[in-house]
Amino acid sequence: MAAPASSAVGRTDPVRPLWTKDWHAFPEAAMTPRDATPSRTRGHRSEGAVATESHQRHVIRSMARVVPHTAKEGRVMVKNATNISLTLVCCLSQFLHNVYGSAINMALPAISKDLGAGVESLQWLVSAYIIALASMLTFAGTLADRWGRKRVLALGNLVMVIGAVVCALSDAVPWLIVGRVIQGIGSALIAPAGLSLLTAAFPQVSAKAVAVMWWTTVGTASLAAGPILGGLLVRDFGWQSIFWAGVPLGLLALVLGVVLLRESRSDAPDPFDPLGQLLLTVLLATLAFTLIEGVHLGWTSPAVLVCACAAAVSLVVLVPVELRKKYPLIPVRLFRRASFSTGLVTAVLGYLALAALLFLNTFYLQAERGLDASSAGLMTLPLAGGATASALLAARFVEEKRSRLALLISGALMTVGGVALWATESAPLWTVILPYLVFGFGFGLIADPVSVTALSSLPPEEAGLASSLISTSKQVGQMLGIALAGTLLAAAAGTSEATEFTEMGGWVWALLVSAGLAIVALNVRRRKARAART
């Protein structure tokens, strides 16, 4: 018989199958020593030959018993590798989806100087992207369920690349805005398709939670890190480089998605709601026009009044239309649940504050503090670092069923960060590092807990509709933040061309502080209500 593996001398071990994790799966796989090599003397088999053949048959029988187990392990490893690839592709697409929304902020002064854009034009450059994204988000989710999530994700990356090329080649503000609209549509296609692919690929609740955690963390980090990347690119290569840099990344995400991902679609997709889509788009576009152009054209100008009326009429018509539909684009009936409404308003306020800070931050650091685009972007590194760290921590709050506590801490930290930025407005530059860190840490706690809070009182069959509305509310918050911040900036400056931050006074920081305080006020829970639920 063969010697034990630890004492065999001069033996030759069989090649370990690639799919086995443990050598002990083949306990009898050690070959016989060389002195047991079969002899062929006089045509007779020696005792060693008989023993060797018996040993080989035993090994074969052992392998036959083990192969089903190892084949299963092989399938598991292949599945794990596939899921990792899927997560990477979806997170790369999520990175592009978010970074384009915030990186442009650091390029606004350069664009203003190069293309002669005023404050209202700069607002439209950022808002056009968000309006297209918010208005198309729910439609894109339905399209992904019906047409295929892999196809929609690939289409979204392709549209994003086309929009980036249009923006990079633009020599006038209108064309740049058109490119931003195209990018917003691409981003709207990416967001629901990528998240749906992730949730469908991980049936286990724990694995799904980890995948969604990484998706959310990448989204939060890329949104906060956009100004850093944008500042570095603008300094060395000009504002066009922000868009050119996204082209190879978008193509990489497109190719990897086509090669690595498997198609996924819903067995019973919801029907399209064209009337609801039209009303939502009109509502968001006219509301943005009213807020952005009111200070420039005058709040009583015909164009502003017409758009304000159109926004009001769209909202009034949208509510009853969506209430009557079995599969509405906007599930208005969900607003009757207090926890859902609280979660949505919290999301709007949190993303409003972040968008306002990112939009005004470039004017503050470059116009007031005199930094170049690169240095201004690097100054926001604590903001991105704090948001990334707290986004990972937020998963722990959700796991321990303390989402409401996370939102209270989030609002408190954003309030403290806003007050600290206000207090250090004219202090030495290094003093703003801690306020950025505090504000970023507070913002990072929002994403996961706000979704859990909003969905906590809803039945599972309504979670899909509610999730799409939560995503839309985040984009609406960003649109409102940019519109309000730009309006404050232009009103304080007195003219749309001026971008001096010094005339803003405390109004800028008051907006951030108010949003933080509102988040705290919304999420204060009475102990009696909590005890009643438990």
Side-chain angles (χ1 to χ4, degrees):
M1 294 293 294
S6 59
S7 61
V9 178
R11 67 176 176 82
T12 302
D13 291 337
V15 178
R16 177 183 178 183
L18 294 177
W19 56 81
T20 57
K21 296 181 179 179
D22 193 350
W23 172 253
H24 301 291
F26 292 92
E28 300 86 6
M31 297 296 289
T32 56
R34 290 181 180 178
D35 58 358
T37 302
S39 170
R40 294 290 180 178
T41 307
R42 295 189 182 94
H44 296 285
R45 293 184 297 172
S46 66
E47 293 180 2
V50 174
T52 301
E53 289 184 1
S54 175
H55 174 75
Q56 290 172 343
R57 287 194 297 270
H58 183 57
V59 169
I60 292 173
R61 286 195 299 270
S62 299
M63 291 180 65
R65 291 195 301 269
V66 175
V67 162
H69 173 68
T70 57
K72 180 180 179 180
E73 288 184 343
R75 290 193 296 270
V76 170
M77 293 184 67
V78 170
K79 183 178 180 179
N80 289 340
T82 301
N83 289 342
I84 291 173
S85 301
L86 183 148
T87 304
L88 291 175
V89 173
C90 291
C91 286
L92 176 58
S93 300
Q94 168 81 330
F95 174 83
L96 291 174
H97 155 68
N98 282 284
V99 80
Y100 267 127
S102 61
I104 194 175
N105 287 287
M106 283 299 158
L108 294 179
I111 293 174
S112 177
K113 182 179 179 180
D114 192 14
L115 302 182
V119 173
E120 80 281 5
S121 297
L122 300 180
Q123 287 177 273
W124 280 115
L125 288 180
V126 184
S127 298
Y129 176 89
I130 298 173
I131 293 171
L133 170 59
S135 60
M136 295 291 294
L137 200 56
T138 306
F139 168 80
T142 303
L143 181 64
D145 289 341
R146 182 177 294 273
W147 192 41
R149 293 149 186 163
K150 175 182 174 180
R151 290 180 179 178
V152 171
L153 183 65
L155 179 61
N157 284 314
L158 178 61
V159 173
M160 183 75 77
V161 169
I162 294 173
V165 172
V166 172
C167 289
L169 296 177
S170 298
D171 57 357
V173 172
W175 282 111
L176 191 54
I177 293 175
V178 169
R180 293 289 289 169
V181 170
I182 296 174
Q183 283 190 306
I185 294 173
S187 186
L189 294 171
I190 288 173
L195 186 57
S196 297
L197 282 169
L198 278 180
T199 55
F202 296 93
Q204 294 85 5
V205 175
S206 58
K208 184 180 299 186
V210 172
V212 173
M213 179 200 71
W214 280 110
W215 166 272
T216 304
T217 301
V218 168
T220 302
S222 58
L223 189 63
I228 301 173
L229 301 176
L232 293 172
L233 289 171
V234 170
R235 181 194 65 180
D236 295 330
F237 305 104
W239 63 265
Q240 294 90 344
S241 62
I242 292 179
F243 304 104
W244 285 126
V247 172
L249 290 178
L251 292 176
L252 176 63
L254 172 62
V255 173
L256 291 178
V258 171
V259 173
L260 298 177
L261 301 185
R262 294 181 179 179
E263 188 56 275
S264 169
R265 58 171 55 88
S266 175
D267 295 331
D270 293 340
F272 292 112
D273 181 8
L275 180 57
Q277 181 67 58
L278 176 63
L279 291 172
L280 177 62
T281 303
V282 172
L283 172 61
L284 295 178
T286 53
L287 179 60
F289 184 92
T290 302
L291 294 175
I292 293 174
E293 297 294 342
V295 70
H296 307 293
L297 301 179
W299 295 104
T300 58
S301 64
V304 172
L305 290 176
V306 168
C307 284
C309 292
V313 171
S314 299
L315 179 61
V316 171
V317 175
L318 178 66
V319 172
V321 166
E322 296 301 282
L323 282 174
R324 288 196 299 266
K325 288 184 176 292
K326 184 178 180 180
Y327 301 103
L329 181 76
I330 303 297
V332 179
R333 66 180 183 277
L334 299 183
F335 285 95
R336 297 170 181 169
R337 299 180 181 267
S339 60
F340 180 76
S341 299
T342 298
L344 250 64
V345 177
T346 299
V348 170
L349 290 170
Y351 281 80
L352 180 154
L354 179 70
L357 177 60
L358 294 179
F359 182 78
L360 294 171
N361 191 61
T362 183
F363 300 109
Y364 169 57
L365 294 177
Q366 295 185 49
E368 171 71 8
R369 293 289 190 168
L371 301 180
D372 59 20
S374 174
S375 300
L378 290 175
M379 283 297 298
T380 63
L381 183 60
L383 178 70
T388 303
S390 60
L392 293 172
L393 181 62
R396 179 67 62 86
F397 280 95
V398 171
E399 182 181 353
E400 296 177 355
K401 299 181 179 180
R402 295 184 177 181
S403 298
R404 184 81 63 171
L405 177 61
L407 294 178
L408 287 171
I409 297 174
S410 171
L413 290 177
M414 293 174 70
T415 301
V416 172
V419 172
L421 285 170
W422 194 343
T424 57
E425 181 179 347
S426 301
L429 187 60
W430 62 268
T431 60
V432 304
I433 294 176
L434 184 59
Y436 279 136
L437 179 63
V438 172
F439 188 93
F441 199 90
F443 172 75
L445 289 172
I446 285 183
D448 278 350
V450 80
S451 298
V452 173
T453 299
L455 299 175
S456 60
S457 63
L458 301 181
E461 61 270 15
E462 293 183 332
L465 279 173
S467 298
S468 66
L469 197 53
I470 293 170
S471 299
T472 302
S473 69
K474 295 175 182 179
Q475 309 308 321
V476 172
Q478 292 188 64
M479 183 197 74
L480 293 175
I482 294 165
L484 292 174
T487 297
L488 288 173
L489 178 64
T495 62
S496 61
E497 290 79 14
T499 56
E500 290 294 331
F501 187 87
T502 53
E503 299 182 37
M504 287 300 299
W507 291 105
V508 178
W509 312 120
L511 179 63
L512 307 184
V513 172
S514 299
L517 289 174
I519 291 175
V520 173
L522 279 171
N523 290 279
V524 171
R525 177 186 294 179
R526 293 179 301 175
R527 294 184 180 272
K528 183 183 297 186
R530 180 185 297 179
R533 279 192 292 271
T534 57

